[in-house]
Amino acid sequence: MQLLKDRIRKDGIVREGGVLKVDSFLNHQMDIELFEEIGKEFRRRFEGEEINKILTIEASGIGIACIVAQYFHVPVVFVKKTKTKNIAGDVYTSRVESYTHGRVYDIIVSKDFLGPEDKVLLIDDFLANGCALLGLIDIVKKSGATLEGAGIVIEKGFQTGGKQIRDMGIRLESLAIVESMDEESGEIVFRDDKV
Ligand code: G4P
């Protein structure tokens, strides 16, 4: 998505350790007009798919998922992160081991809001090693819902998540795939810039 790639080049900041800061428009301050274009693009890419629910994970996924959902006319359910071991109530759970943050947490979603009748599109802001997305996929599986695909705003193509998820046969649409980033110059190369 050219508009997004241009914005990443203009306002993204490359930090050490392969971290891309996009706080000014994506995951701290949020540019809602850009989010609307992102919503339209996901709608276009998943045209014809029978999606009745969008599933995301707190925190940064929620804002994007809400705007995207306006183009699908479906509700958003967000999976909650919890440190509590004793999870009460009727919930699906999974365990996420974040490689980026070096921490483990449980994720939960109520059985009231996800079940076998659902056709789910996963939405998230970033895909790095994919631990968060794999957790969401596990939750969908446990619920008996159908996974229609996953939409990611920025995929870090030099990390393993994207390949792992595509290799599972899951339809993964990333609007911008960063192939490489240079800390010194701030240069960002996207996957389709290379072909
Ligand atoms: P992981 O397996 O390496 O942990 O990667 P995963 O794809 O699950 O992403 C883990 C978290 O790291 C996500 O947020 C994701 O948004 C964030 N992240 C990964 N790489 C980058 C990056 O280069 N830039 C930015 N800005 N974020 C990145 P999270 O910890 O789940 O938290 P939240 O921000 O959604 O609350």
Side-chain angles (χ1 to χ4, degrees):
M1 181 182 172
Q2 198 55 47
L3 183 74
L4 174 66
K5 291 193 279 186
D6 290 346
R7 187 61 178 273
I8 296 169
R9 281 217 174 88
K10 181 170 161 276
D11 293 330
I13 299 165
V14 181
R15 287 277 162 82
E16 62 178 309
V19 171
L20 176 64
K21 291 286 276 183
V22 285
D23 281 5
S24 65
F25 63 96
L26 189 67
N27 51 21
H28 197 4
Q29 175 168 262
M30 299 182 283
D31 181 340
I32 300 305
E33 284 177 10
L34 175 67
F35 282 21
E36 285 171 347
E37 295 309 314
I38 286 170
K40 287 179 202 165
E41 181 63 16
F42 281 133
R43 175 73 264 194
R44 193 183 65 76
R45 293 194 188 198
F46 287 97
E47 195 66 68
E49 301 295 343
E50 237 187 276
I51 289 157
N52 74 337
K53 205 156 275 184
I54 288 180
L55 189 70
T56 188
I57 181 163
E58 62 178 358
S60 348
I62 298 174
I64 297 155
C66 288
I67 303 292
V68 171
Q70 289 188 303
Y71 296 90
F72 286 83
H73 306 285
V74 299
V76 174
V77 176
F78 68 91
V79 164
K80 298 187 180 192
K81 293 176 181 170
T82 168
K83 287 195 192 99
T84 14
K85 287 213 179 83
N86 301 324
I87 294 156
D90 238 3
V91 292
Y92 304 110
T93 71
S94 189
R95 176 148 293 191
V96 173
E97 292 185 29
S98 172
Y99 175 85
T100 305
H101 298 291
R103 62 167 191 227
V104 179
Y105 53 91
D106 292 309
I107 56 174
I108 63 165
V109 70
S110 166
K111 289 186 178 175
D112 288 342
F113 308 124
L114 198 65
E117 66 288 355
D118 287 319
K119 295 174 188 304
V120 178
L121 173 65
L122 304 176
I123 293 286
D124 207 359
D125 58 342
F126 262 93
L127 173 59
N129 288 296
C131 296
L133 200 54
L134 287 167
L136 291 178
I137 292 165
D138 187 42
I139 290 259
V140 171
K141 214 168 155 190
K142 284 174 174 162
S143 75
T146 306
L147 181 58
E148 297 293 345
I152 296 292
V153 181
I154 304 176
E155 177 182 333
K156 291 159 81 185
F158 53 91
Q159 291 185 238
T160 55
K163 183 176 181 332
Q164 196 181 342
I165 284 152
R166 290 188 182 94
D167 285 351
M168 290 164 76
I170 292 166
R171 176 160 179 209
L172 172 62
E173 294 284 345
S174 299
L175 302 187
I177 304 179
V178 176
E179 205 58 82
S180 64
M181 305 190 290
D182 190 304
E183 264 171 54
E184 307 269 290
S185 64
E187 195 201 354
I188 299 169
V189 176
F190 293 99
R191 184 163 292 178
D192 43 7
D193 289 348
K194 286 179 140 185
V195 289

